[in-house]
Amino acid sequence: MLGISDKLVSLAYEHLNQSGYLIKMFTKYIYKSVISFIFLATSISSFGAQGFLAKTVTITQMSSTSSNSDAFWVYYSAGGSIDNCAGKVKFQLSFAGTNGTFERAFALATTALVTNKTIEIYSYTSTTDCLSAVSINLLN
């Protein structure tokens, strides 16, 4: 027959075993959470880096649409201070966000083509996705 002290020791041992299990599970959860956070942080930093697609380039040709969509192509002289797209970028209404932004980009591109001015081409989503151009800076 077990005495009261034996029962207490048995209960304490059982409690410690359950606590050990909980600690292991908690540690495993924290470990997975930290790994997930690191993966997410590196994913975010590698995608969505806005910046210039091309800098100090001159437009050589334009098209007013792309497969009848709300988009246009800009072809430029390669070799600027930044040239991530090898002379060709696409402006799409879906990336511009508004008709006004899209139309101003087309107007500035046309102006740059006619006046032979140097430009910079910017993307809000990537410095390497040549289909995501949004903005043009017209340089003097």
Side-chain angles (χ1 to χ4, degrees), residues 69-81:
S69 65
D70 289 329
F72 65 94
W73 287 95
V74 167
Y75 301 85
Y76 60 86
S77 58
S81 62

Side-chain angles (χ1 to χ4, degrees), residues 13-31:
Y13 181 76
E14 188 177 307
H15 177 70
L16 285 175
N17 277 341
Q18 288 177 351
S19 295
Y21 175 75
L22 291 175
I23 289 171
K24 283 181 186 177
M25 293 305 293
F26 181 72
T27 305
K28 193 175 186 180
Y29 172 77
I30 293 296
Y31 179 74

Side-chain angles (χ1 to χ4, degrees), residues 9-60:
V9 168
S10 178
L11 286 172
Y13 181 76
E14 188 177 307
H15 177 70
L16 285 175
N17 277 341
Q18 288 177 351
S19 295
Y21 175 75
L22 291 175
I23 289 171
K24 283 181 186 177
M25 293 305 293
F26 181 72
T27 305
K28 193 175 186 180
Y29 172 77
I30 293 296
Y31 179 74
K32 284 183 177 181
S33 296
V34 168
I35 296 297
S36 297
F37 176 77
I38 290 170
F39 178 76
L40 179 65
T42 56
S43 296
I44 290 171
S45 67
S46 63
F47 298 106
Q50 64 184 12
F52 288 101
L53 297 170
K55 263 184 122 171
T56 61
V57 297
T58 305
I59 295 178
T60 57

